Structure formats: C-alpha cells, structure tokens
Amino acid sequence: MIVRENPSRSSEVVGQVEVACPATVDRVVRRAEAAYRRWSATTIDERLAALRAGADALTARIDDLAVLLARESGKVRADSAGELGFSATYLRWVTAHAGAVLADDEVDDAAGRLILRRRPFGVIAAVTPWNAPIILAMLKIGPALAAGNTMVVKPSPLAPLTISAVVEILSAHLPADVLQVVHGDAEAGAALVGHELVAKVAFTGGGAAARHVAAQAATRTTPTVLELGGNDPAVFLPDADLSPTAMERLVMASFATSGQVCMAAKRLYVPDSRHDEFVEAYVAAAGRVLRTGDALADGVTMGPMINAASVARVEALVAAAVADGARALPLGGTDPGTDLDGGYFLTPTLLVDVPEQAAVVGEEQFGPTVPLLRYTDVEDVLARANAGELGLGASVWSADEERAVDFARRFEAGFVFVNTHNRTGLTLRAPFGGVKRSGYGREYGEEGLREYAQTCVIHAPAAFRPGGTALAANAYPA
C-alpha cells in the first residue's frame, strides 16, 4: 500500500492506494489490449466527443480536486487549480485539432496513388511524475486516446491520488478499460514498460529513471517518448528590461512549485555592469510575490518541497556553494499561520558570487534556490549557457526582440523563451521537448499529437495501372 502524506503537514495522511504486483499489471494491460481492438475501430469523431465530455466533467471538479492536489503534492491551491484547468483546456485543444492532424493524406496524380495513414500503436504505457501530475499525464492521455490507442498510466508514488481521480472522471465517458491506472514503484513500472503487449512508452521524469525505462523498453524494441530534466539558463542581455513586472515574472519562473519544475529558470546570467541593479530588483520582486507556507493557506505562493530527501539535497547544494564563497540571499516572506517545522519547507534563496564550477550551477537544483552569475562578453555567456549535458529550455531577455531572437537561435535547447520563462512562455501550438540528454520526442502542438500515431503507407504506382509504362522487375524508382 502506498500511503501519501501531506508535505505541508508531514504527520497528516492524505490517502492511500494499492500497489499493483506484476500479475495485476499484466491483467490491466491485457484488458487494455482487448479494449484497443474496439476503441481503435470507432471513428475519430466518436473518440473526440468522449474526450470533450471528459474535459467538461473534469472542469466541474476543479475546486475539490485542487484541494486534494495541494494536500498530496504541496503545490499551492491556486496553482493546483490552474494545473487542473489547464489540463482540461489542453484536452479541448486536442479535440479541436486532432481530427485534421491525424487525418489520412491522399494524393492521386500522374505518378500514382499515395495514401499516408496515421494509425494508432496499441496500448500506450504512460509513466508520469509527481510535480505536475495532471497536465503531464494529460499530455499523453489526450493525444493517445484521440489517435485510437488505449492507455495505462503509472503515476509517481509521491502523487497518486489526484491523477487516480482524474482517470476515473475521464473513464466515465470512455468504454471500459480504454484508460486505466496502476500504482507502484520500480517493480510495477518495469512490469508495465516491459510488457509484451505495450506498443509504446511515454515517460516524464529524471534521467536516471529514464535510462531504466529506455533499457526496459529496448528489450522488446518498444518505441519511447522521454521528456526529461533541464538546467535552463536565463541570459539577460545588456539592454534587458529589469522592471518590476519583468522581475516578478522571472522570480516565479524559478520558484513556482518550489522550483520543482523541469523547465524552471535554473541559472541566471547578467552583465557585470548591471549585477547590483539586477540583485536589487530581483530581491524586491521576490518580496512582493513570494510567500512561503501551507499549500492551502490564502496568499501563499510557494509551498513545501515534496519530501525530506529533496529538502536535504537542496540544502546540501546551497551549503556547498556558500562554502565555495557564494552568498545566499533569502527571498520573500512566510505565512505566519504555517508551522514551517511541521512540513518540508525551505526558504527560497538567490545565490550570488557563485563559482562557475559549483554543483548548484552544473546540476539541476529542482528546488527553491537559483544561482546568479556575471558575464562581460556575450559570446562567452552563450558558451557557458550551452555547457552541460542538458538542453530542455532556455530564455533570453532583451528590449530588442530581434536581437533576442538572434541570440535564441544559438541556444542548445529544445524550447527558448523570449522575455519570459517557464509556463508563462508556453503555447499549446508549439511542440515542447529537449535536446541532448533532456530527452526526445515532443509534447504539445501538432507534433505532440503525432507522437501517438504511426505513419503507414498505401502506394499504387501509376506505372502498373492499365496502360501504364510499367518498369523492369529490377528497376529503381524514378
């Protein structure tokens, strides 16, 4: 049994779910395979109508589900409601666009008849994380089901409750076994990813777990989509806007969900000539928008971390940087009604005078601290920003959009934001995903829809039609 505690009040049990043994996983996948035969035979209009009904039902439950999500994950209630609402919005976007994106393409001309069909894979295994458990599952559920696949979701043991409720809500508008959930740790994950009837795996999470998932899937040559972590640089060019609104946007880009976001701004680069001005503006902005406390408390904008191990890891990164000469500037305020000792709370910090070789610079912090680094040469800062194995997101800030875009073209990142970062810079129409060791495959946009359909071809060459020129038996195509 997985028992989930409240990160804001660690002595409080929020709920529990039953762990699926390999035999249970096998039964669930086999039910999904049987359902696939029926679901894939329906029209796409029927599938999209069911997903629209599910989106409406999810919208009606946002308020109570937001409380549950805040209690099990520590994500503040407003952000929890926002994630749930955005998940429904994304599902509706899928229903508005999937019909055209997944339709067959057909050409019939002098060269012959060519049909490109976009067909489902079968049973999709989705392995999802705890930091944004609803939207990161929905990015897989929506496209997969629209394309005619069935899906089994294995959520993180650290946030199993709300996604289970969401799956139940959506499943009420779907045929039996089209969408199912199983819970567990590595054993359940391995049983799901390595199952002989799983046709594709979609994973979001950390690099170490991704390597295990990819290796397990490779034993059956099962294709995968991997959306992994990032160590996103935010580069401020000399003419960047440091106004209060820009700085508030940047602060939340680093500290939303207590910094536990793959595409958070994790390294800040500022011109040496504007360093002190930047620090003053940043600290002031944090004072206005950051308030640490219980995820359900009114006015709180940053809740606890997910567990004690995460707190200890970030504390160690900050301590090591300070030992190497950095200064840790505490940010924002705290909710006076919250018992900070009763949960997994950590004061957000801006690290200044950080050595380039510090672990907090080279590693993904995934917590409420961010290093500030100086530069004097634009070419040098580009090289430093591109250093490392990860390449998920990045941002460039400048009063001159054209200059910013020219700089952005040279980032080694899958998604580059201009004058913003993190969720305020996303758009449903743009594919999202990483380069280098930040994964492969894409979510969002038309590419995210096509990840769950495979292109199959029907070709009738004109040469072999009655009256055609024909070709020799060993001829190459012209």
Side-chain angles (χ1 to χ4, degrees), residues 165-219:
V166 169
V167 166
E168 183 178 354
I169 290 167
L170 298 181
S171 294
H173 301 275
L174 298 166
D177 301 327
V178 167
L179 177 62
Q180 301 175 82
V181 63
V182 294
H183 295 288
D185 290 312
E187 184 182 43
L192 177 61
V193 170
H195 198 283
E196 62 182 346
L197 296 180
V198 165
K200 190 165 187 176
V201 175
F203 172 85
T204 300
R211 287 188 286 275
H212 288 294
V213 166
Q216 186 73 41
T219 63

Side-chain angles (χ1 to χ4, degrees), residues 189-259:
L192 177 61
V193 170
H195 198 283
E196 62 182 346
L197 296 180
V198 165
K200 190 165 187 176
V201 175
F203 172 85
T204 300
R211 287 188 286 275
H212 288 294
V213 166
Q216 186 73 41
T219 63
R220 297 187 181 277
T221 61
T222 304
T224 56
V225 176
L226 302 179
E227 199 273 278
L228 310 181
N231 191 15
D232 292 17
V235 175
F236 284 74
L237 297 182
D239 64 344
D241 174 21
L242 304 185
S243 67
T245 55
M247 288 294 96
E248 289 171 10
R249 200 160 59 246
L250 176 64
V251 167
M252 293 312 298
S254 289
F255 293 104
T257 316
S258 303

Side-chain angles (χ1 to χ4, degrees), residues 334-392:
T334 58
D335 173 50
T338 298
D339 175 14
L340 297 181
D341 293 328
Y344 304 125
F345 294 99
L346 195 58
T347 300
T349 56
L350 175 68
L351 290 168
V352 298
D353 301 325
V354 186
E356 192 81 20
Q357 72 275 12
V360 76
V361 176
E363 300 177 12
E364 182 182 21
Q365 312 98 355
F366 218 68
T369 190
V370 63
L372 178 64
L373 301 114
R374 305 171 187 245
Y375 75 89
T376 55
D377 179 78
V378 171
E379 293 301 315
D380 172 66
V381 76
L382 179 65
R384 291 161 63 191
N386 282 337
E389 292 189 331
L390 301 179
L392 186 60

Side-chain angles (χ1 to χ4, degrees), residues 232-236 240-256 258-259 264-270 274-291 302 327-333 347-352 365 367-373 395 397 420-422:
D232 292 17
V235 175
F236 284 74
D241 174 21
L242 304 185
S243 67
T245 55
M247 288 294 96
E248 289 171 10
R249 200 160 59 246
L250 176 64
V251 167
M252 293 312 298
S254 289
F255 293 104
S258 303
K266 297 188 176 78
R267 293 177 285 156
L268 312 180
Y269 292 92
V270 300
R274 302 193 71 186
H275 177 270
D276 293 349
E277 176 190 2
F278 183 96
V279 171
E280 182 180 357
Y282 191 93
V283 172
R288 294 189 296 272
V289 300
L290 283 185
R291 189 180 190 189
M302 198 189 91
R327 291 183 295 127
L329 305 181
L331 300 172
T347 300
T349 56
L350 175 68
L351 290 168
V352 298
Q365 312 98 355
T369 190
V370 63
L372 178 64
L373 301 114
S395 64
W397 303 63
T420 191
H421 202 119
N422 208 332

